[in-house]
Amino acid sequence: MIIDCHGHYTTAPPAHTDWRVSQLVAFREGRPSPAYPAISDDEIRESIEQNQLRLLRERGADMTIFSPRASAMAHHEGDERVSMEWARACNDLIARVAGLFPSAFIGVCQLPQSPGAPLDASAAELERCVTELGFVGCNLNPDPSGGRWTSPPLTDRYWYPIYEKMTELDVPAMVHVSSSRNPVFHATGAHYINADTTAFMQLIQGDLFADFPDLRLVIPHGGGAVPYHWGRYRGLADMLGKPPLSEHVMKNVFFDTCVYHQPGIDLLCRVIDTDNILFGSEMVGAVRGIDPETGHYFDDTKRYIDAAALPEAGRAKIYSGNARRVYPRLDKALRERGL
């Protein structure tokens, strides 16, 4: 079985995204949000069948851990109420996708974060999504300010309410920023990769996993710059008086394979233990075109894993074993289906 740990609903029906525009206009004008529109099952099917589901089948994967569109979370827009309304709408739509295509998609939720706001509402929404909607994890934005980085590091006690709820529910988080309001940071080319790298360094500097030894965090996009500069981070941990990375963070931190060329995947698999790598494509996502050097889509990451110099046992871990271990509620759901 091949499980893609990183998929977003980037093809949601237009009525959904149009409502978001109207919601933000109403907020700016001091009016209540408009009623959420009726979206039919047929609209959802059409948005999925010709996009994510078709590509999933064509590329040889079986299931996607599916979440709302990351760049549209935009926690810096509106306020905490607006974020709560938007998160619930997005999460309910993901639940409908998973209900219509249960063999191909399982949900991960967006949190109603807002700059400076406490995380109690996020913990409550996570619990709702896990216990009522059958979701298996969440996306946690380390920078809800949208490129201004006003939040404390991920190791700060500010974040503990969400970590406590994650631990209670036994679910992981993908550490994933959203869009950038800072023109210096292109969203997917700079802000995303900056955030992945920043999150990892924050984890090195702190001692988060001493307080939460069972917490699991997935850093996407191949871990940002981390694998490429692995010696730097090993050296910094040593300079900071921290234990080796294998003990200090890598029992709790995992990277995906959203790296869009063969040399990048080869390096990831050489530097990072296969126990810490989950298959992911981010499809349909940041890079949607065809690579002129290969003739294949950049985000067809299965090709790179198939071509990597890996033992079959390691490849099996990357394709499904690690995802089932990191997302135990996913494993339980699959075992209940005899998979």
Side-chain angles (χ1 to χ4, degrees), residues 9 16 36 68-69 72 85-95 110 135:
Y9 198 2
H16 175 72
Y36 188 76
R69 184 176 185 176
E85 293 173 349
W86 179 229
R88 286 183 70 97
C90 291
N91 293 334
D92 288 347
L93 198 60
I94 292 294
Q110 172 179 328
F135 286 16

Side-chain angles (χ1 to χ4, degrees), residues 175-253:
V175 180
H176 204 309
V177 288
S178 185
S179 51
S180 170
R181 68 161 78 177
N182 188 336
V184 171
F185 298 131
H186 181 276
T188 55
H191 188 42
Y192 280 20
I193 308 305
N194 291 348
D196 305 332
T197 310
T198 298
F200 191 81
M201 189 63 213
Q202 289 177 0
L203 296 174
I204 291 176
Q205 290 175 276
D207 292 293
L208 176 64
F209 303 121
D211 287 345
F212 295 96
D214 298 322
L215 190 69
R216 299 179 302 281
L217 300 176
V218 179
I219 297 182
H221 318 114
V226 173
Y228 187 72
H229 290 283
W230 191 243
R232 176 181 292 258
Y233 295 107
R234 287 178 52 240
L236 286 168
D238 182 66
M239 290 172 63
L240 291 167
K242 301 297 185 181
L245 294 182
S246 59
E247 301 173 19
H248 187 46
V249 294
M250 297 308 289
K251 293 178 180 179
N252 305 82
V253 173

Side-chain angles (χ1 to χ4, degrees), residues 10-297:
T10 54
T11 60
H16 175 72
T17 51
D18 290 346
W19 180 81
R20 172 62 164 172
V21 173
S22 300
Q23 183 209 27
L24 292 176
V25 169
F27 170 77
R28 288 191 288 269
E29 295 178 352
R31 296 184 286 106
S33 300
Y36 188 76
I39 297 174
S40 70
D41 287 351
D42 285 343
E43 289 178 275
I44 294 174
R45 288 190 187 97
E46 182 179 1
S47 71
I48 290 290
E49 288 175 343
Q50 297 305 312
N51 296 289
Q52 286 89 351
L53 187 61
R54 174 180 61 83
L55 293 171
L56 194 70
R57 290 169 173 167
E58 288 179 359
R59 297 177 184 182
D62 299 293
M63 172 173 271
T64 296
I65 299 174
F66 206 50
S67 65
R69 184 176 185 176
S71 62
M73 294 189 298
H75 293 117
H76 58 277
E77 298 275 14
D79 59 10
E80 190 175 12
R81 173 189 62 81
V82 167
S83 284
M84 185 71 253
E85 293 173 349
W86 179 229
R88 286 183 70 97
C90 291
N91 293 334
D92 288 347
L93 198 60
I94 292 294
R96 291 181 65 186
V97 172
L100 290 169
F101 304 97
S103 65
F105 300 97
I106 196 162
V108 161
C109 69
Q110 172 179 328
L111 299 176
Q113 298 175 244
S114 187
L119 288 171
D120 298 334
S122 291
E125 178 63 4
L126 174 60
E127 183 165 29
R128 182 185 82 92
C129 289
V130 171
T131 61
E132 298 179 21
L133 304 183
F135 286 16
V136 299
C138 63
N139 287 340
L140 179 65
N141 185 351
D143 174 39
S145 71
R148 303 289 171 80
W149 288 97
T150 57
S151 292
L154 289 171
T155 52
D156 190 89
R157 296 191 70 86
Y158 166 78
W159 300 95
Y160 277 29
I162 197 68
Y163 298 151
E164 289 165 358
K165 185 58 65 175
M166 288 168 58
T167 302
E168 175 190 331
L169 297 169
D170 198 18
V171 296
M174 179 172 280
V175 180
H176 204 309
V177 288
S178 185
S179 51
S180 170
R181 68 161 78 177
N182 188 336
V184 171
F185 298 131
H186 181 276
T188 55
H191 188 42
Y192 280 20
I193 308 305
N194 291 348
D196 305 332
T197 310
T198 298
F200 191 81
M201 189 63 213
Q202 289 177 0
L203 296 174
I204 291 176
Q205 290 175 276
D207 292 293
L208 176 64
F209 303 121
D211 287 345
F212 295 96
D214 298 322
L215 190 69
R216 299 179 302 281
L217 300 176
V218 179
I219 297 182
H221 318 114
V226 173
Y228 187 72
H229 290 283
W230 191 243
R232 176 181 292 258
Y233 295 107
R234 287 178 52 240
L236 286 168
D238 182 66
M239 290 172 63
L240 291 167
K242 301 297 185 181
L245 294 182
S246 59
E247 301 173 19
H248 187 46
V249 294
M250 297 308 289
K251 293 178 180 179
N252 305 82
V253 173
F254 307 86
F255 300 157
D256 72 13
T257 64
C258 295
V259 179
Y260 295 149
H261 67 151
Q262 191 67 52
I265 289 290
D266 291 343
L267 183 142
L268 176 69
C269 294
R270 284 200 304 269
V271 172
I272 304 301
D273 193 292
T274 52
D275 286 340
N276 293 86
I277 303 174
L278 280 64
F279 175 69
S281 71
E282 205 179 358
M283 170 273 291
V284 177
V287 181
R288 305 187 183 191
I290 294 176
D291 185 344
E293 296 181 6
T294 66
H296 300 293
Y297 283 95

